[in-house]
Amino acid sequence: MAGRKSTGSWPMDGRTVLVTGTTSGIGRTTATALGQAGAVVLAHARDQTRAAAVARELKGSGGRFVPVSGDLGSLAGVRGLVEQVLQVTPKGLHVLVNNAGAAFSQRALAPDGVERTLAVNHLAVAALTSELLDTLRIGASATGRPSRVVNLSSILEKRGNPKLQDWTYPDQYSQLQAYSDSKLVNLAHTYALARELAGSGVTVNAANPGSVKTAFGHNAGGVLKVVGIVGKAFMASPEKGARTSIRLASDPALDDATGGYYSAAELDMSSDASRDPAFGEQVYARTAAILAQAPR
Ligand SMILES: NC(=O)c1ccc[n+]([C@@H]2O[C@H](COP(=O)([O-])OP(=O)(O)OC[C@H]3O[C@@H](n4cnc5c(N)ncnc54)[C@H](OP(=O)(O)O)[C@@H]3O)[C@@H](O)[C@H]2O)c1
């Protein structure tokens, strides 16, 4: 881990990084560390007032932060964010950390027709990545090193149902199942995208942060809130939880690493279902079809 800065990140001078969901928890810590390590960090929040406040607060810890916003519950929100990112990255983007995530105690559909957990934790991640691929490639050409996509995963992907047919949960909804499904689907998509982009100058990896003491359970309500309260004493700090994202975003030893799942900042093994290439291709095709149908 030579050359590592005391913030926990490796030097990031000359890099531009987008971290989604920087208002709290793992995203805020990741953005702080990468900014302190020299990156220009596009600090994302749901709306511009929040994003501006976060960027102002993070500047106090050192580093350069540019506020960007968009509600990732809809593809329209993703597109609004993409427009802002493209405006402020004329020389390309080097790292995209798809950190924002959510869970909901009640079922509701997102505007794009899928249940909202899948919309935020998977569809928005896939759409944002796809729309930013060109600028990530520009960033890679400029530095001569691959640009990186880091997707936040969870150990709960192991509970996801690979046979899930209907992404709207018409009959039965469980918060824990929908969250687990969203993380499994997104992880399978991460692997499929990494295969698709192999050798293209963009790497794609998944970060499992472990069990981390953040606002996540409180915001989610339902059983995840209870788990958050009961398990609080056993949960890691956001600083510890962010280590995996930070390493995947900045460690030069991982310059060419792609298609991996990392826990506690080291390469790990995810569920059999997530690693099944046939399942991955099915998720990839279904996601592409939904994105292609979305009005522009
Ligand atoms: N904490 C854990 O134990 C744990 C374990 C495994 C995986 N993870 C994953 O780690 C990531 C970060 O979670 P965290 O624990 O740091 O939770 P957190 O503190 O609740 O942060 C989540 C972030 O996502 C943002 N977000 C949620 N929905 C959004 C939307 N529709 N549009 C825009 N932004 C949205 C939140 O913004 P607002 O403030 O506006 O809501 C917040 O900035 C998530 O992907 C989560 O699934 C967490």
Side-chain angles (χ1 to χ4, degrees), residues 91-149:
K91 293 184 181 158
L93 184 66
H94 304 102
V95 181
L96 163 62
V97 184
N98 283 307
N99 168 82
F104 304 93
S105 57
Q106 302 293 324
R107 171 187 180 268
L109 293 187
D112 306 290
V114 306
E115 186 280 323
R116 58 185 169 170
T117 319
L118 279 151
V120 176
N121 296 351
H122 172 58
L123 211 52
V125 172
L128 186 60
T129 306
S130 162
E131 300 267 340
L132 293 178
L133 271 183
D134 284 346
T135 189
L136 285 162
R137 287 197 188 100
I138 292 169
S141 304
T143 57
R145 289 164 61 181
S147 289
R148 306 174 180 206
V149 178

Side-chain angles (χ1 to χ4, degrees), residues 170-246:
D171 303 322
Q172 206 177 10
Y173 176 78
S174 136
Q175 176 192 52
L176 193 57
Q177 193 57 53
Y179 180 72
S180 305
D181 291 343
S182 74
K183 291 296 184 183
L184 171 63
V185 162
N186 190 249
L187 184 54
H189 191 270
T190 300
Y191 293 147
L193 186 62
R195 286 191 291 275
E196 170 85 16
L197 296 179
S200 74
V202 180
T203 64
V204 194
N205 290 289
N208 162 28
S211 188
V212 189
K213 218 180 300 172
T214 66
F216 192 86
H218 178 79
N219 292 343
V223 69
L224 286 174
K225 182 172 180 179
V226 177
V227 170
I229 293 168
V230 175
K232 204 171 171 187
F234 308 100
M235 290 175 150
S237 65
E239 285 69 29
K240 195 168 178 193
R243 280 184 200 159
T244 306
S245 303
I246 293 168

Side-chain angles (χ1 to χ4, degrees), residues 21-27 44 46 50 70-73 99-102 120 152-154 179 183 208-212 214-216 219:
T22 57
T23 56
S24 62
I26 299 162
H44 161 264
R46 214 179 274 261
R50 269 318 271 295
D71 186 334
L72 302 178
N99 168 82
V120 176
L152 268 283
S153 190
S154 165
Y179 180 72
K183 291 296 184 183
N208 162 28
S211 188
V212 189
T214 66
F216 192 86
N219 292 343

Side-chain angles (χ1 to χ4, degrees), residues 5-19:
K5 291 211 171 177
S6 58
T7 57
S9 173
W10 286 259
M12 291 291 282
D13 306 280
R15 305 289 154 117
T16 302
V17 174
L18 167 61
V19 182

